[in-house]
Amino acid sequence: ETDPTITLAREQILNLLPYGSDFLFLNRATITKGRSITAEMSYRADDRMLQAHFRGGPAVVPGAILAEQVSQASLLLAILSEKVLAGQPFVVGRLRCKFSNPAVADCTVRVTVEFELVTPPRFAFRGFAECAGERLADVELIAALRDF
């Protein structure tokens, strides 16, 4: 028996995650429930954020944004795998990134994330970011449910 696969567009993702449109770094996502997610975001060289990152330089997606893209994909995986309820506070406690190549716009960054450990209220994820088949970053994170 295969795990169900779900594909979501940006508007569907916005309805599930707690972020506003300007801080959502996922345009589309495909989830294998309970196992993994692959999500994409397209970045354009004329984006104000990228132009401000290196004034007068190349339009490079900041590494922190790549890590955030992996984090958002991780939360979406947890929600759609029914491990976390949409709207529950879910915070990253540890983040480890190894960057290997820059993401120079115009580009579509694809992140792939898997569960590494599921022991509610804590979750561990392992993922990576790539563009055009070139590895950009490897990311490990631990997140937890938290009441504020």
Side-chain angles (χ1 to χ4, degrees), residues 12-81:
Q12 294 169 298
I13 297 167
L14 267 171
N15 289 331
L16 292 168
L17 295 183
Y19 312 109
S21 182
D22 289 342
F23 199 74
L24 181 66
F25 298 107
L26 307 175
N27 284 337
R28 64 197 141 277
T30 301
I31 298 96
T32 302
K33 190 174 176 182
R35 295 190 35 219
S36 65
I37 184 171
T38 299
E40 295 180 350
M41 178 69 183
S42 295
Y43 298 94
R44 295 176 39 107
D46 63 358
D47 181 286
R48 289 180 45 206
M49 175 187 64
L50 299 186
Q51 289 177 351
H53 186 218
F54 288 120
R55 289 184 310 191
V60 175
V61 180
I65 298 301
L66 296 177
E68 179 64 25
Q69 188 176 341
V70 170
S71 296
Q72 290 182 9
S74 299
L75 175 55
L76 188 58
L77 174 61
I79 290 169
L80 292 172
S81 297

Side-chain angles (χ1 to χ4, degrees), residues 4-5 18 36 53 94 97 121 124 127 133 143:
T5 300
S36 65
H53 186 218
R94 187 182 87 195
C97 303

